[in-house]
Amino acid sequence: MNHKILKTLEFHKILDKLQSFAATSLGKAWATELQPSGDLDEVKRRLTATDEAVKVERIKGAAPFGGIRDVRPSVKRAKIGGLLNPAELLDTANTLNGGRRLKRFILQMAEDHELTLLADKAAQVMDLKDLADSILAKINEHAEVMDSASQELARIRQELRTGEARIREKLEQMIRTPSTQKMLQDPIITIRNDRYVIPVKQEYRSSIGGMIHDQSASGATLFMEPQAVVQLNNRLRELSFKEEREIEKILGMLTAEVAEAADEIAFNLDILAELDFIFAKAGLAREFKATLPLMNDRGFLKIKKGRHPLIAADAVVPLDVELGNQFQSIIITGPNTGGKTVTLKTIGLLSLMAMSGLFVPAEDSSQLCVFDGIFADIGDEQSIEQSLSTFSSHMTNIISILKEMTPKSLVLLDEVGAGTDPAEGSALAISILEAIHRLGCRMVATTHYSELKAYAYERKGIVNASMEFDVQTLSPTYRLLVGVPGRSNAFAIAERLGLDKKIIDHARSQVGADDQRVESMIATLEENRLSAEAERKSAEQLNAEVAALRQQLEKERSRMEQQRSQLLAKAEQQAEEAVKKARQEAEQIIRELRQMAMEERSSIKEHKLIEAKRKLDEAVPQLDKKPVSGSRSGSKARAIEPGDEVLVRSLGQKGHVVELSGDKEVTVQLGIMKMKIAKTDLEKISAAPVKPVQQKTAVTGLKRSRDESVRSELDLRGNNIEDSIIEVDRFLDESFLANLHQVYIIHGKGTGVLRQGIQDYLRKHRLVKSFRFGTYGEGGNGVTVVEL
């Protein structure tokens, strides 16, 4: 990419902002060297990496780059035999551990989210934990070699501490002695030239004795090493030299380990630098509120609400522009200070950012193209040194562009043909634009010349555009209007400012009729555009209101559905409770019937049976149901005929319809009982013809004679004891109510467990007089004969 275009479009300012988001000097270096790419695949790879970093920051926050330093100079020096100091070794260990933390962070994120490129980069970071641990085991966080670095160092330092303590003890004894105190300037112990000394007054130098290491500025105080501690100080010096040699030995060993892993460390640093750079791009996207652009190499641009990233957010006007589909070139006309130059720079700078793998400050789904070159002639580049005029400077740039451009280039021209005679300048501008357009480049050009409006109108593939100007406020709105050529607005502005109307009318008369018609046509186009835009905004507002109303109705419907579900659930619960209660009452009534039957044995008073039947009727839950027209239950209730098999819902019992008792009730045979049941409480099961049971009286509720449907034997073979006892109890009740005096229970011989269990139960049953095994011909021991 031409470096001149990067400077013209101020791409270096974007890189400066990008550097500020890099966490390390490694990433800053990458940001400084960033260049746009003309390879579509490479651009997509860069943008994908940025998109993954944006995803990580959105979900987990900033990536951990703490502790990572650029230790390449230290590693290089170690590799050629230099000795690293403790601080350099500590930075190396922290960098290795920082790389491991970053790798773990990214790979953990990649387990739940798609981070193909970042995960691949992070996986390449080599694990040099052993080297980092080895360094940190000998050097502490203050970049000091620890005593535990070696046994020899620990011994030497222990001797040093002991020697220092002995020297201090001797000197403290001296300065506490009254005779010595009067010779001292201050009763303190200090250090000069790495030796312990005391401050002695000048006149007592011979009284103390020893070596003088320093004196005060006035000469009144001498810092003397008493003879009593000279040997001890000498020993400390020897130990200090030993300590330095041991530390140097330890640092040499650690430096050798770093040198051995120098290539791996350098490789890790390259990966960490790129990762820091990628996350810096994510930070820049957050700063600019930028989005991922769609990229192509077909020369197509569609920028939606694009913003110049170097203009303050509260001052920038979003740009909507499309190029490369219906037209390849845009000619922007109109007065100065309308924003034409900013429009050119926005298109060029956003293209450079996208080609560099950066998100662009525009709405989602904006499309940009990968050009093989972007060329621009923008601004006044007059050169005094070269004695070039403004026109000459522009022509020099344009000539260079014409030589270098290709069909896959983007050309941005500001005020083409300006700086010379208007007639010649407009003709030259048309020729230049025609040459660029004929080559097939994508081009955006600005101009003052009205002749270019007609050229753009007549030439296929070129479209007029202008920067909107508000005549009422006499100020530009900085909005690009594609399809509408610009107006000079000179007469309107002059009139608004108060110029005499006669002068304005005279000026209008000097303008040619064709020019006036063109201006009138442009004014009409602009009025139609404003009207259409107002209608569009009104339609958008109506659509928004309809969408809001639809959303509100959907919420209301959801709320009603939820209330309906809750009411249905509550009704079902109440119904279950009612049925449960009804069954309990029915069982109580049956128990009372049994009790009455046992008490009166041979006969049951009719009024008691009627009373029991009434209680059963009252036990049926009276649910307040509203029949739905055409419902399944209603159709079945109306279709019930005598002989049909039905289910009584409230009792959960099956029976047969005996007769119809009016429009709302039917008489149903339930085992040995006949009951009047409401039709709405019945569900038809089958319509098999059943001969209705004839009744002698109209109010008989219970048939006391033997019912033909009651069997005199019960076969329990294959059942378990629990189920068999339930069956036996029901069988004995029905047999007793049917006036059977002898019944047969078939249990088989088998192991005898079932037989024994049944007979144990019969011994305690209240209806059983006696029981015995069957005789020959009755089943023998496989049958128990029961007398009721």
Side-chain angles (χ1 to χ4, degrees), residues 344-364:
L344 292 181
K345 287 188 173 182
T346 301
I347 295 172
L349 186 54
L350 264 58
S351 296
L352 289 176
M353 290 176 66
M355 293 166 63
S356 302
L358 302 174
F359 279 19
V360 296
E363 286 189 351
D364 286 332

Side-chain angles (χ1 to χ4, degrees), residues 384-511:
I384 296 177
E385 292 81 2
Q386 297 179 14
S387 300
L388 295 176
S389 66
T390 300
F391 177 76
S392 299
S393 176
H394 281 303
M395 283 299 102
T396 301
N397 287 336
I398 291 174
I399 291 169
S400 175
I401 291 171
L402 292 173
K403 290 179 179 179
E404 297 180 24
M405 67 183 185
T406 71
K408 291 187 176 181
S409 299
L410 173 65
V411 179
L412 307 172
L413 301 178
D414 189 24
E415 300 298 345
V416 59
T420 187
D421 178 73
E424 293 181 354
S426 62
L428 187 59
I430 291 174
S431 297
I432 292 172
L433 297 180
E434 179 64 22
I436 296 174
H437 178 69
R438 191 165 50 244
L439 184 62
C441 290
R442 301 298 181 261
M443 175 179 62
V444 183
T446 68
T447 182
H448 279 302
Y449 298 131
S450 59
E451 290 83 358
L452 269 68
K453 302 174 186 176
Y455 165 74
Y457 181 76
E458 296 170 353
R459 193 72 168 85
K460 184 179 180 181
I462 302 179
V463 67
N464 272 309
S466 62
M467 304 307 296
E468 187 178 53
F469 188 88
D470 190 342
V471 181
Q472 300 299 321
T473 61
L474 302 181
S475 61
T477 65
Y478 304 104
R479 291 180 58 204
L480 179 66
L481 306 177
V482 178
V484 180
R487 299 171 59 193
S488 66
N489 296 307
F491 295 150
I493 294 173
E495 186 174 4
R496 289 276 298 170
L497 293 176
L499 186 64
D500 192 309
K501 192 173 186 302
K502 292 181 180 179
I503 298 176
I504 295 174
D505 291 341
H506 183 267
R508 282 198 177 101
S509 67
Q510 302 301 311
V511 179

Side-chain angles (χ1 to χ4, degrees), residues 484-634:
V484 180
R487 299 171 59 193
S488 66
N489 296 307
F491 295 150
I493 294 173
E495 186 174 4
R496 289 276 298 170
L497 293 176
L499 186 64
D500 192 309
K501 192 173 186 302
K502 292 181 180 179
I503 298 176
I504 295 174
D505 291 341
H506 183 267
R508 282 198 177 101
S509 67
Q510 302 301 311
V511 179
D514 290 342
D515 292 335
Q516 289 187 16
R517 283 196 297 271
V518 169
E519 287 294 317
S520 176
M521 177 191 70
I522 293 174
T524 302
L525 284 173
E526 190 161 359
E527 289 176 4
N528 292 338
R529 182 193 62 79
L530 292 173
S531 176
E533 187 170 352
E535 292 178 359
R536 179 183 60 80
K537 289 182 177 178
S538 177
E540 289 179 352
Q541 184 177 359
L542 287 175
N543 285 337
E545 292 175 357
V546 169
L549 182 59
R550 182 184 295 114
Q551 186 177 8
Q552 182 180 355
L553 290 175
E554 184 64 24
K555 289 182 179 178
E556 187 67 20
R557 187 196 65 78
S558 177
R559 185 179 65 82
M560 295 290 291
E561 186 67 24
Q562 186 177 4
Q563 289 181 351
R564 176 178 174 273
S565 300
Q566 291 175 351
L567 289 173
L568 284 175
K570 184 176 180 181
E572 289 177 0
Q573 183 180 0
Q574 291 175 345
E576 289 179 0
E577 291 175 354
V579 170
K580 183 178 179 182
K581 180 180 178 182
R583 286 178 176 171
Q584 290 174 349
E585 293 181 0
E587 291 175 359
Q588 179 63 29
I589 293 169
I590 291 174
R591 283 195 293 270
E592 291 178 2
L593 284 174
R594 289 174 177 168
Q595 187 64 28
M596 286 189 294
M598 291 181 64
E599 291 174 354
E600 303 185 16
R601 298 296 288 178
S602 59
S603 63
I604 300 177
K605 299 297 183 181
E606 194 67 25
H607 70 277
K608 292 184 178 180
L609 292 175
I610 294 173
E611 179 66 16
K613 176 180 175 298
R614 185 185 64 79
K615 290 183 179 179
L616 276 175
D617 291 339
E618 291 176 353
V620 177
Q622 300 298 320
L623 299 179
D624 185 13
K625 296 184 179 180
K626 295 182 180 180
V628 181
S629 177
S631 68
R632 179 183 175 193
S633 60

Side-chain angles (χ1 to χ4, degrees), residues 666-694:
V666 296
T667 301
V668 180
Q669 181 80 39
L670 296 172
I672 63 172
M673 294 183 293
K674 293 179 183 176
M675 296 178 62
K676 286 185 179 180
I677 307 294
K679 285 185 178 181
T680 56
D681 195 24
L682 299 179
E683 181 177 339
K684 184 176 177 180
I685 297 176
S686 65
V690 178
K691 184 177 180 180
V693 179
Q694 299 297 325

Side-chain angles (χ1 to χ4, degrees), residues 631-646 657 660 663 666 679 682-687:
S631 68
R632 179 183 175 193
S633 60
S635 63
K636 288 191 175 184
R638 287 194 298 272
I640 289 175
E641 298 293 341
D644 290 345
E645 185 179 4
V646 293
V657 176
L660 303 179
D663 295 333
V666 296
K679 285 185 178 181
L682 299 179
E683 181 177 339
K684 184 176 177 180
I685 297 176
S686 65

